[in-house]
Amino acid sequence: MRLRKAARVILVGAPGVGKGTQSERLLQRFPQIQSLSTGDLLRHNVKARTPLGIKVENTMKAGGLVADDLIMRLISNELYKKGWLRRPGDPDVMTLSSTATNAEPASYGELPVDLITSTAALDAHAPPVASEDPSASFILDGFPRTVTQALTCDKIVPINLVVSLKTPIDVVIERITSRWVHEPSGRVYNTTFNAPKVPGIDDVTGEPLTQRPDDNVDVYRERFRKFQETSEPLLEHYAKKGVLWEVEGMTSNEISPKLYEEFERRFA
Ligand code: AMP
């Protein structure tokens, strides 16, 4: 389905609610949308040993958050490269060609010197302009993570939809704890809807199944608590801006149709 308006979207959801699944489905249904993941961009930089990659490697390994100014540079550089953002007065390349470039992810070394990197710098400059061409539609994954990032993001690219994906925590825990894996092959079973023929045994090899350490309930509860702590102020911020939309469902299949309908209503 084709969009008539540019969708600039953030998906927010606790680990295990199926953010990745919904994101993939949206990209399939609306081919003009692309996704941009700060985690992927950072990992690419680490792998390519760019100055940014070297700088953030230890923080990422320790599971900490990368400094806001580095994240802002990374994301704004990527948006400029794709033509989704331009400086005031520059032509809208999206409207000229209507094709997004498949540029390589940003590297710290390539940044233009006048790149806007902080709220203070933004206040001092004419703000960049986000392309309104539907081909400049994107879903951001993993960004903004903090209210500070959201404030700067507001000045660079006005997000026009924040989707809060909600599944009751008990349902997610039930889903996670019913997941069993055959490690050598990577085959995944689920005792609720895709159970092995013999409990705890791989159908093909007869070898024992195991559960992943992060499928543990206590580990999950802790990740959920951390998610709530950071996402609440973020959601509040977007609620105040009037772009927050909540969708609830027990499964991804229950959520997807509601999500499609809302996208069509707003952007198609
Ligand atoms: P992710 O793939 O989204 O889980 O991100 C992997 C790691 O990249 C995180 O644990 C952080 O260290 C870093 N990271 C990704 N996005 C951000 C962000 N918006 N702000 C700060 N750090 C981030």
Side-chain angles (χ1 to χ4, degrees):
M1 169 158 306
R2 290 197 68 75
L3 302 178
R4 280 190 303 110
K5 283 204 268 184
R8 294 184 289 269
V9 180
I10 302 170
L11 296 186
V12 182
V17 304
K19 237 178 349 149
T21 305
Q22 298 303 346
S23 184
E24 267 172 39
R25 290 180 181 175
L26 285 168
L27 300 192
Q28 269 195 352
R29 189 170 179 95
F30 305 101
Q32 289 153 300
I33 303 181
Q34 293 183 52
S35 79
L36 196 59
S37 150
T38 40
D40 284 351
L41 287 174
L42 288 167
R43 277 185 288 275
H44 175 92
N45 275 271
V46 170
K47 216 170 146 198
R49 313 302 304 154
T50 66
L52 170 66
I54 292 165
K55 215 168 182 162
V56 301
E57 189 171 20
N58 287 338
T59 310
M60 287 181 74
K61 266 193 194 146
L65 284 184
V66 171
D68 286 342
D69 65 326
L70 295 181
I71 293 288
M72 290 320 301
R73 282 184 196 215
L74 182 72
I75 199 107
S76 50
N77 195 36
E78 193 62 17
L79 294 172
Y80 275 119
K81 266 194 190 171
K82 288 184 178 285
W84 296 346
L85 202 61
R86 62 194 157 88
R87 292 175 180 77
D90 286 355
D92 189 342
V93 291
M94 297 307 300
T95 312
L96 293 177
S97 67
S98 270
T99 49
T101 58
N102 257 339
E104 276 288 290
S107 98
Y108 193 43
E110 301 164 9
L111 291 172
V113 278
D114 62 340
L115 194 71
I116 291 147
T117 56
S118 70
T119 315
L122 277 166
D123 289 338
H125 291 79
V129 184
S131 173
E132 289 301 334
D133 189 292
S135 300
S137 291
F138 55 82
I139 296 174
L140 295 180
D141 178 358
F143 171 87
R145 281 261 221 295
T146 62
V147 174
T148 313
Q149 288 179 7
L151 285 167
T152 318
C153 182
D154 289 345
K155 302 198 174 188
I156 302 178
V157 269
I159 297 300
N160 52 17
L161 177 63
V162 175
V163 178
S164 168
L165 298 171
K166 295 197 146 180
T167 300
I169 179 168
D170 293 344
V171 174
V172 180
I173 287 180
E174 161 68 27
R175 206 187 294 159
I176 287 173
T177 51
S178 56
R179 189 153 61 191
W180 290 80
V181 188
H182 176 243
E183 292 279 354
S185 68
R187 261 187 295 284
V188 179
Y189 296 87
N190 188 297
T191 48
T192 316
F193 55 82
N194 175 30
K197 288 183 189 123
V198 180
I201 300 293
D202 178 44
D203 288 353
V204 180
T205 61
E207 289 167 354
L209 302 175
T210 53
Q211 288 200 293
R212 291 188 182 137
D214 57 357
D215 287 349
N216 171 299
V217 176
D218 291 338
V219 172
Y220 179 76
R221 282 196 193 280
E222 178 54 20
R223 286 174 68 205
F224 186 83
R225 193 192 60 73
K226 271 199 180 145
F227 162 77
Q228 278 202 311
E229 210 174 88
T230 48
S231 67
E232 254 167 41
L234 205 59
L235 294 176
E236 233 169 75
H237 171 80
Y238 287 116
K240 276 191 212 141
K241 293 206 143 282
V243 292
L244 179 66
W245 179 73
E246 289 184 349
V247 57
E248 204 166 330
M250 299 293 176
T251 62
S252 293
N253 288 348
E254 202 181 310
I255 289 176
S256 292
K258 299 183 195 173
L259 201 52
Y260 296 159
E261 198 183 313
E262 189 63 20
F263 265 64
E264 285 164 25
R265 199 176 69 73
R266 289 179 187 243
F267 306 115

